[in-house]
Amino acid sequence: MCGIIGILGRGDVAPYLVDGLGRLEYRGYDSAGMAVMEDGAIAVLRTVGTVERLAAMYRGSPVSGAAGLAHTRWATHGGVSDRNAHPHVSCGGEAAVIHNGIIENHAELREELSSKGHAFKSETDTEVAVHLLEEALAAGKGPLEAGMDVARRLRGQYALVFLMRGHPDVILAMRKNAPLLVGLGKGESIVASDALAFIDRTNRVVFLEDDTLALVARDGVRVYGFLGQERPVVVTDLAQELTLPDKHDHEHFTIKEIREQPEAVERVVSQVPGSMTIFRRELEKAKRVFFVAAGTSYHAALLAKRYFSDHMKLYGEVILASEYRGSEQWFDDGAVVVCISQSGETMDVLEAARSAKGRGATVLSMVNRSPSSLEMLSDAVVKLNVGPEVGVAATKSFTAQVVLFYALARGGASEEEVAELKGAMEAALAQEQEIIGVAELVAKGRDVYFLGRGVSYPMALEGALKMKELAYLHAEGLAAGELKHGPLALVDSGTPLVLLNPEDETYAETMSNGAEVKSRGGMVIGFSTAPSPTYDRFVRIPPVRAEFYPVVEAVPLQLLAYHVARLLDKSIDKPRNLAKSVTVK
Ligand code: M6R
């Protein structure tokens, strides 16, 4: 996580740093900071809280200069405080650093550097990097050699960007398993963790590879391996489809993204058939198939397993990315590992993908954000094509993943299927008033349970995840049949329980589970295609073919979590403690 941006420009870059940083805030919003080379010294502004707070601070006491860095933090080491906010500055103010990642050997380096007289001002793992650089610069090394010294000493994952007082016309950047790219503009260069930070200024991009250092100058960039060997610089023209997101008339990005799902599912199946064909061909050849993902993407993976099993007669194992090690011995040259990630930057997923590649497996990936680290290390990629998802809670990317997996498993989706889905999602969105009524009940409680069977089971998990992250309510998603094996003991008078109960093959059994809850005083909220006396509250799900129910159920589940969060006045687009892109372990 953490968003980083560094710029070397012609005029004052400070306003642009604040602006670009705002577009990276999805990566973390515990604190924000910036450093600018001002009259031969490094001036720093830092604050806990949002980029808007940093912007207000900047307006109150402006700094200015033609080179600078900015950072938005998702705290890992050291609490959320002003002094732990980046940039961090060396003892004598020779250099400043911003960082995304984790420096694993920070404790031993801190001890060593402290014993040499370095005074640490923060509790972060990051600060060791700037003191290491200071040591190398003090020994008379230039930016490249000094950077190589730092890289040699650090263990972990990092994207690091340094500003150096003695070298005002260069920014030093280095990358190891964390995203970092350089945008080449007219007389200016920008280094950032995401092209979104600079896409309004240039679409000419150099993707830095892992284990490389970059010397960024106004007129270009030179790239080196950690041992100093110069690497060729490849400039890519990014498609202008990387547009800057806008909420338009919606109160939050999250509700905008929920509402645009009917159009999104249509876009997702208008894929270039080529990439779908490669995907299917690799899967057909596979001896073993693994689906690897985290969070909401993991729920999509559970459905993918079902679709591929039903339509391609493929057996696959679904693995939580953070738990891939238990299965990696099977990632051999007969295996296909399908990695699913909206951002394409989730560290746990990237690690599993690297392990799979290293063991000879074929890595296929499904991403939304592009370009991304995941697609760069994959053998084939399919893209969701649903545009930027800004809300931290995954919404349209989830339904797009599910629809794309359905299309992949079936070898495409017909116009009739797309129309059926789109119509049903629109009908589900039209239930918003009814859902607000249910949200008022749920918001009064402390817990809420979600129950589903078959294809609705992953949706019970997804409904609970949405409720946790948006409304901060305790929520559990359960396989309906598991209720009687323990969780039923939790049901008390008035406990709300969302019963996902479309009229598919699971209907009667799930209804019995609802009745078990009702007879113990629980409040059964039926999300179903038909009303029933078992339900205390009813939200209508439009009838569709059985395999589409997850996509259609997603809509009221998302709306419910959204409206509970809204009633409880939570920070909807940026829930506390979370970040959109989870680039640490
Ligand atoms: O970008 P990814 O799909 O790899 O992200 C995985 C999870 O971090 C993500 O789905 C997370 O659980 C969402 N905030 C859920 O809404």
Side-chain angles (χ1 to χ4, degrees):
M1 4 268 255
C2 297
I4 63 187
I5 173 168
I7 175 164
L8 264 179
R10 295 271 172 221
D12 179 16
V13 298
Y16 181 59
L17 281 173
V18 176
D19 192 42
L21 194 62
R23 280 179 250 136
L24 294 184
E25 200 172 21
Y26 73 88
R27 303 181 72 90
Y29 30 84
D30 289 336
S31 60
M34 62 195 279
V36 171
M37 193 82 79
E38 190 177 52
D39 301 329
I42 297 175
V44 176
L45 295 178
R46 306 185 294 183
T47 177
V48 294
T50 59
V51 173
E52 184 39 47
R53 203 151 155 188
L54 177 72
M57 189 180 222
Y58 163 70
R59 286 191 295 271
S61 50
V63 288
S64 78
L69 314 175
H71 184 269
T72 176
R73 179 171 186 239
W74 186 83
T76 60
H77 293 66
V80 177
S81 63
D82 286 350
R83 73 192 185 108
N84 288 335
H86 301 210
H88 297 287
V89 180
S90 62
C91 299
E94 296 84 355
V97 69
I98 51 176
H99 170 216
N100 171 33
I102 289 177
I103 295 170
E104 288 163 1
N105 56 339
H106 67 98
E108 63 199 64
L109 289 171
R110 178 182 280 253
E111 205 176 309
E112 175 191 319
L113 289 158
S114 298
S115 72
K116 288 183 179 165
H118 288 267
F120 280 79
K121 297 181 274 300
S122 77
E123 304 151 335
T124 64
D125 54 333
T126 303
E127 197 182 338
V128 295
V130 78
H131 292 288
L132 283 174
L133 188 82
E134 181 181 30
E135 283 270 304
L137 293 172
K141 298 189 176 170
L144 176 61
E145 291 73 21
M148 284 160 57
D149 271 12
V150 175
R152 228 186 334 268
R153 298 302 313 280
L154 299 181
R155 284 204 313 271
Q157 320 106 44
Y158 48 82
L160 286 162
V161 182
F162 298 91
L163 201 60
M164 294 159 290
R165 191 173 63 194
H167 302 275
D169 296 320
V170 66
I171 281 180
L172 169 66
M174 53 179 81
R175 168 185 171 144
K176 187 178 186 67
N177 292 343
L180 198 60
L181 32 93
V182 182
L184 302 175
K186 289 197 181 83
E188 65 179 17
S189 298
I190 306 140
V191 56
S193 34
D194 184 331
L196 210 54
F198 55 70
I199 197 68
D200 56 331
R201 294 175 82 108
T202 181
N203 67 341
R204 298 183 64 235
V205 174
V206 178
F207 294 98
L208 299 180
E209 287 175 14
D210 282 329
D211 300 331
T212 58
L213 285 158
L215 295 183
V216 182
R218 286 185 178 80
D219 58 356
V221 59
R222 297 181 79 165
V223 180
Y224 304 85
F226 278 172
L227 298 177
Q229 66 285 27
E230 189 155 5
R231 302 271 182 90
V233 170
V234 182
V235 182
T236 306
D237 280 346
L238 278 190
Q240 280 301 347
E241 68 192 22
L242 205 60
T243 46
L244 300 178
D246 190 332
K247 277 206 292 254
H248 298 292
D249 293 336
H250 300 274
E251 194 178 343
H252 300 100
F253 278 108
T254 305
I255 191 67
K256 170 178 177 268
E257 288 157 5
I258 291 172
R259 289 180 183 143
E260 64 196 27
Q261 290 178 106
E263 279 72 42
V265 296
E266 196 166 28
R267 273 170 75 181
V268 79
V269 285
S270 62
Q271 294 284 329
V272 183
S275 53
M276 296 238 261
T277 312
I278 298 169
F279 227 81
R280 277 176 63 89
R281 204 169 47 223
E282 292 297 338
L283 285 167
E284 275 159 2
K285 286 194 307 207
K287 289 205 194 96
R288 277 177 284 283
V289 178
F290 299 90
F291 299 97
V292 179
T296 288
S297 296
Y298 172 77
H299 301 152
L302 294 172
L303 291 161
K305 170 184 167 153
R306 176 78 186 255
Y307 292 153
F308 285 114
S309 165
D310 288 353
H311 296 291
M312 286 180 74
K313 305 296 165 218
L314 260 175
Y315 176 75
E317 186 185 332
V318 185
I319 305 172
L320 277 170
S322 54
E323 293 290 338
Y324 78 91
R325 285 204 179 84
S327 306
E328 70 178 341
Q329 60 172 310
W330 303 103
F331 292 174
D332 58 16
D333 60 4
V336 169
V337 177
V338 182
C339 295
I340 306 120
S341 175
Q342 187 285 133
S343 60
E345 299 294 349
T346 299
M347 178 60 75
D348 294 326
V349 178
L350 291 173
E351 280 224 332
R354 286 190 192 105
S355 160
K357 285 288 290 183
R359 290 164 181 269
T362 300
V363 174
L364 306 181
S365 62
M366 181 181 282
V367 297
N368 186 40
R369 290 300 304 275
S370 179
S372 68
S373 302
L374 181 58
E375 64 185 283
M376 281 190 247
L377 60 84
S378 301
D379 296 295
V381 185
V382 283
K383 295 186 187 163
L384 299 180
N385 272 335
V386 295
E389 186 178 67
V390 178
V392 165
T395 52
K396 63 177 178 175
S397 66
F398 171 73
T399 44
Q401 287 165 340
V402 177
V403 171
L404 187 50
F405 274 128
Y406 174 82
L408 280 164
R410 302 257 306 162
S414 66
E415 273 178 32
E416 198 191 335
E417 285 169 311
V418 176
E420 178 183 345
L421 253 182
K422 209 178 153 190
M425 291 177 93
E426 276 157 3
L429 282 168
Q431 297 287 303
E432 193 161 351
Q433 275 314 312
E434 184 58 39
I435 291 164
I436 291 173
V438 174
E440 281 160 2
L441 292 171
V442 173
K444 287 187 191 136
R446 283 188 333 179
D447 314 288
V448 51
Y449 298 90
F450 293 83
L451 241 64
R453 242 195 184 74
V455 290
S456 294
Y457 166 53
M459 299 314 300
L461 301 177
E462 177 59 8
L465 178 59
K466 288 288 92 80
M467 190 62 79
K468 287 178 219 179
E469 70 179 328
L470 288 177
Y472 317 165
L473 273 192
H474 168 241
E476 277 189 49
L478 298 163
E482 281 296 294
L483 190 67
K484 57 189 178 290
H485 296 294
L488 196 53
L490 294 164
V491 172
D492 208 343
S493 166
T495 305
L497 185 141
V498 175
L499 195 72
L500 298 172
N501 200 17
E503 289 170 291
D504 62 8
E505 58 184 15
T506 67
Y507 182 70
E509 288 174 356
T510 306
M511 188 68 91
S512 302
N513 301 129
E516 288 155 16
V517 170
K518 193 177 172 71
S519 59
R520 286 162 178 85
M523 177 172 59
V524 180
I525 303 162
F527 279 29
S528 183
T529 37
S532 155
T534 301
Y535 307 145
D536 297 291
R537 295 300 293 252
F538 171 60
V539 173
R540 188 176 292 281
I541 303 284
V544 281
R545 71 193 70 197
E547 289 173 296
F548 286 173
Y549 278 121
V551 182
V552 179
E553 286 165 352
V555 175
L557 288 170
Q558 295 161 354
L559 285 173
L560 180 62
Y562 172 80
H563 282 292
V564 174
R566 202 167 163 277
L567 290 164
L568 296 176
D569 199 22
K570 301 299 183 204
S571 166
I572 292 182
D573 286 338
K574 297 172 191 164
R576 70 177 178 201
N577 303 339
L578 302 181
K580 183 73 183 160
S581 214
V582 186
T583 61
V584 293
K585 282 195 265 180

